[in-house]
Amino acid sequence: MDFTSLESSLIEFRAHANSFLSQYEPLVLVLAPFLTLFVARIIRSFVVSLHDKGLKTILLGFFFTAIKLVPGVKRYIDAEKQKVVDKLQAGSKSKREGWRTELPITGLGIGVIEKLKDEKRNDVVWQGKCSGTVYIGGSESEGHFSLINEACSMFAHTNPLHLDVFPSVTRLESEVVSMTAALLGSKEKASGGQVCGNMTSGGTESILLAVKSSRDYMNTKKGITQPEMIIPESAHSAYDKAAQYFNIKLWRVPVNKEFQADVKAIRRRINRNTILIVGSAPGFPHGIIDPIEELGELAFSSGICLHVDLCLGGFVLPFARKLGFPIPPIDFSVKGVTSISVDVHKYGLAPKGTSVVLYRNHDIRKHQFVAVTEWSGGLYVSPTMAGSRPGSLIAGAWAAMISLGEEGYLENTKAIMEVSKKIEKGIKDIPELHVIGKPDMTIVAFGSNTIDIFEVNDILSSKGWHLNALQRPNSIHICVTLQHVPVIEGFLRDLEESVQKVKENPGPLNGGLAPIYGAAGRMPDRGMVSELLVNYMDGTC
């Protein structure tokens, strides 16, 4: 077609178009594109939401939103929610009466120590009775407790932010990180020989930093500006927090029949915006190790990051492997692992508020840092989320690790692994109960097909035991610590008695939380469950 023919065709098309559009009002022609764009955005939003949440969730959300518009219904729902919140708080409001709201006119001086002792007496009796929580064995006033308390007090005034003033704390942190890394494959040739990291305030901060670093690293490496991460539903809720804080789309994938991360399901979710996948060793709910080697292969072949959550297992699994327990590779010896989080304040027996985040190399870790060059206060760079950090906790962690040494951790690991296996067997010997999956470590989760497991938990609570309630499936777990070693027989006896009591007299315990746990698990409107939790926390802290 020559130029003259093309020009003729365009003129003819223009004439037909003008003739067709002449029948419409000018205002309609102006508004039509905007209306079309508006409708297109609604359709796109619906399609994206359908892809993210599924049709069932969307319809349920629409239904509950619509029903709340009925006069009086929202007010009724809010009143019922408040009843649940009040029950969850269980008298905490009355306990707040008499709490200080301003400084005393005259300070108490050294007398404040007696006030603190009075307050401490209000805590529950936790010795040997709590799932996890306190990992050090023995009494608070002696032994390992006393040692780390003294170490902390020596460095209570220090702050590693001031490198020039407190070089001692800088060295202690570096040594804690290096010793932890050595436990997790940094000396293996496969690690690449560049493993590095920092201490943090706990597992959540370690995970947040690993996610933030992965996001920024993948932005630099692949130019990803709409990041997504994929986690198994057993992964810690800190990833949900990270997704909210750092504007990352989160895909939570169901676990497989063994309650492990489903590698095939994760593979199906990977796309060009994926920055990170996650595995746990073990997962908090059931104490089961995810297939880290398979996840490593997937991450490496996909060119994305893999974070391994070793917050619970970091100071158990390396020693359990040396003791002969069948522990699969879970650290930097696995190709594809780019970061690891491990809590020293759990089985590392350090003071509360000590964790470590590790990276395979400095290229990844440098994205953890924040550097500010234009502040009138000078040049500023910070390695973690906190600016000032307590040097006392760093010193306490260092003291814990150096005082125990490899032999101490091996001895502790042997004790708690053996107790965990005894508890697992004891639970299996109770006909009404079953263990969830095959625990790899020191967490034993159990449920029941014949009685309400949350009612069992309430009776155990009345006997002084504080276990963790789980969902999907409904169950409870005990995280075994050195505190449990001398009381295992008492726990199994109380558990069997609690089961029999529920079996003989089913129904919620007066003042117990079983009805709330059960209702929350069955409630289809998960937004309402979220509101309940937020309202509870808002009235508690």
Side-chain angles (χ1 to χ4, degrees):
M1 180 182 292
D2 58 26
F3 179 77
T4 304
S5 300
L6 178 61
E7 184 180 24
S8 176
S9 297
L10 289 175
I11 292 172
E12 185 178 352
F13 172 76
R14 176 185 176 192
H16 281 300
N18 286 334
S19 175
F20 175 76
L21 295 173
S22 64
Q23 60 185 309
Y24 296 100
E25 291 282 343
L27 182 61
V28 173
L29 296 177
V30 171
L31 293 178
F34 294 101
L35 181 61
T36 303
L37 180 62
F38 178 70
V39 172
R41 288 180 66 89
I42 292 177
I43 294 174
R44 180 182 181 277
S45 177
F46 176 77
V47 171
V48 170
S49 185
L50 182 65
H51 180 254
D52 290 356
K53 301 177 181 178
L55 183 61
K56 180 180 177 181
T57 302
I58 291 176
L59 292 177
L60 281 172
F62 177 79
F63 171 77
F64 285 109
T65 300
I67 201 172
K68 290 175 185 177
L69 297 176
V70 178
V73 172
K74 186 178 186 301
R75 187 165 57 251
Y76 172 77
I77 291 175
D78 288 342
E80 291 301 306
K81 284 194 299 186
Q82 190 57 48
K83 290 180 183 178
V84 174
V85 171
D86 290 342
K87 190 168 185 179
L88 281 170
Q89 291 175 341
S92 63
K93 290 184 177 179
S94 62
K95 294 176 183 176
R96 295 175 72 93
E97 293 179 5
W99 286 15
R100 292 187 182 276
T101 59
E102 56 186 359
L103 283 170
I105 300 299
T106 303
L108 296 180
I110 196 171
V112 75
I113 298 300
E114 290 303 316
K115 294 292 292 182
L116 285 173
K117 290 179 180 178
D118 289 341
E119 291 298 327
K120 193 172 178 63
R121 293 187 189 101
N122 293 325
D123 292 343
V124 300
V125 178
W126 50 262
Q127 287 82 354
K129 290 281 190 174
C130 291
S131 171
T133 310
V134 179
Y135 292 78
I136 302 171
S139 166
E140 282 184 281
S141 60
E142 58 188 15
H144 190 78
F145 270 114
S146 179
L147 182 146
I148 64 171
N149 287 343
E150 184 173 354
C152 287
S153 67
M154 288 175 62
F155 289 82
H157 60 287
T158 64
N159 181 355
L161 182 66
H162 303 288
L163 303 175
D164 55 334
V165 182
F166 304 113
S168 58
V169 177
T170 302
R171 174 178 175 172
L172 297 181
E173 176 176 10
S174 178
E175 291 190 0
V176 168
V177 171
S178 295
M179 289 188 290
T180 304
L183 292 175
L184 302 173
S186 70
K187 302 297 184 181
E188 301 286 335
K189 185 177 180 180
S191 74
Q194 293 190 46
V195 175
C196 52
N198 291 91
M199 290 190 67
T200 71
S201 62
T204 293
E205 187 185 358
S206 290
I207 288 171
L208 288 173
L209 287 171
V211 172
K212 187 265 184 192
S213 301
S214 300
R215 182 198 67 176
D216 294 352
Y217 173 66
M218 293 301 291
N219 175 260
T220 300
K221 182 180 177 182
K222 287 188 171 182
I224 296 175
T225 57
Q226 295 180 309
E228 302 181 12
M229 64 177 171
I230 308 166
I231 66 173
E233 64 181 14
S234 56
H236 199 277
S237 52
Y239 298 100
D240 295 80
K241 183 180 287 189
Q244 292 184 33
Y245 282 5
F246 304 135
N247 195 28
I248 300 172
K249 179 180 283 189
L250 178 69
W251 297 102
R252 190 176 279 274
V253 176
V255 293
N256 61 23
K257 293 180 180 178
E258 287 75 38
F259 296 92
Q260 294 177 304
D262 189 330
V263 180
K264 291 182 180 179
I266 291 174
R267 180 183 288 109
R268 287 194 293 269
R269 280 291 184 189
I270 292 176
N271 59 49
R272 59 188 177 86
N273 288 321
T274 304
I275 61 165
L276 176 71
I277 59 176
V278 168
S280 303
F284 169 81
H286 312 119
I288 296 172
I289 297 174
D290 287 330
I292 303 302
E293 286 184 295
E294 293 180 52
L295 291 171
E297 290 178 11
L298 178 58
F300 187 81
S301 63
S302 303
I304 59 178
C305 296
L306 167 60
H307 179 75
V308 179
D309 182 354
L310 271 158
C311 288
L312 268 169
F315 279 83
V316 174
L317 297 179
F319 302 107
R321 183 186 291 117
K322 287 190 175 184
L323 290 168
F325 289 92
I327 307 300
I330 40 81
D331 53 28
F332 287 112
S333 64
V334 176
K335 184 169 68 172
V337 173
T338 52
S339 58
I340 290 176
S341 53
V342 51
D343 286 355
V344 197
H345 65 206
K346 289 188 171 75
Y347 292 105
L349 307 189
K352 285 299 181 184
T354 51
S355 179
V356 172
V357 58
L358 298 169
Y359 300 94
R360 182 172 287 274
N361 55 52
H362 293 270
D363 284 342
I364 304 173
R365 186 180 67 150
K366 69 181 181 181
H367 294 283
Q368 174 183 292
F369 304 152
V370 172
V372 181
T373 62
E374 305 307 310
W375 179 37
S376 60
L379 299 177
Y380 177 89
V381 61
S382 176
T384 65
M385 298 189 75
S388 294
R389 292 184 293 150
S392 57
L393 298 182
I394 293 172
W398 184 90
M401 295 175 70
I402 295 298
S403 67
L404 287 165
E406 183 175 322
E407 290 181 355
Y409 284 119
L410 283 168
E411 181 181 342
N412 292 340
T413 298
K414 184 175 187 293
I416 57 178
M417 289 292 283
E418 289 178 350
V419 166
S420 300
K421 296 304 177 184
K422 289 179 181 178
I423 289 177
E424 183 180 349
K425 182 182 182 303
I427 292 170
K428 288 179 177 178
D429 288 341
I430 301 174
E432 294 80 9
L433 301 180
H434 61 266
V435 173
I436 306 295
K438 298 177 181 179
D440 290 303
M441 212 183 82
T442 52
I443 296 174
V444 184
F446 52 97
S448 176
N449 295 324
T450 58
I451 58 176
D452 189 329
I453 196 66
F454 295 137
E455 291 180 12
V456 173
N457 193 34
D458 279 344
I459 295 176
L460 282 170
S461 294
S462 71
K463 294 176 180 289
W465 297 98
H466 301 274
L467 274 59
N468 296 91
L470 314 172
Q471 59 180 348
R472 300 175 181 176
N474 287 351
S475 50
I476 55 181
H477 85 205
I478 181 169
C479 178
V480 179
T481 74
L482 291 172
Q483 288 283 332
H484 297 118
V485 173
V487 298
I488 176 179
E489 300 301 333
F491 170 73
L492 291 173
R493 183 173 58 252
D494 284 350
L495 175 60
E496 187 168 11
E497 289 177 1
S498 300
V499 168
Q500 291 307 312
K501 186 171 182 179
V502 172
K503 185 178 179 182
E504 294 167 5
N505 301 288
L509 188 70
N510 185 31
L513 297 177
I516 294 174
Y517 284 124
R522 294 187 299 270
M523 194 176 292
D525 186 0
R526 307 311 289 174
M528 189 178 296
V529 179
S530 176
E531 290 174 10
L532 285 173
L533 293 176
V534 170
N535 289 345
Y536 163 71
M537 182 57 65
D538 187 48
T540 305
C541 65

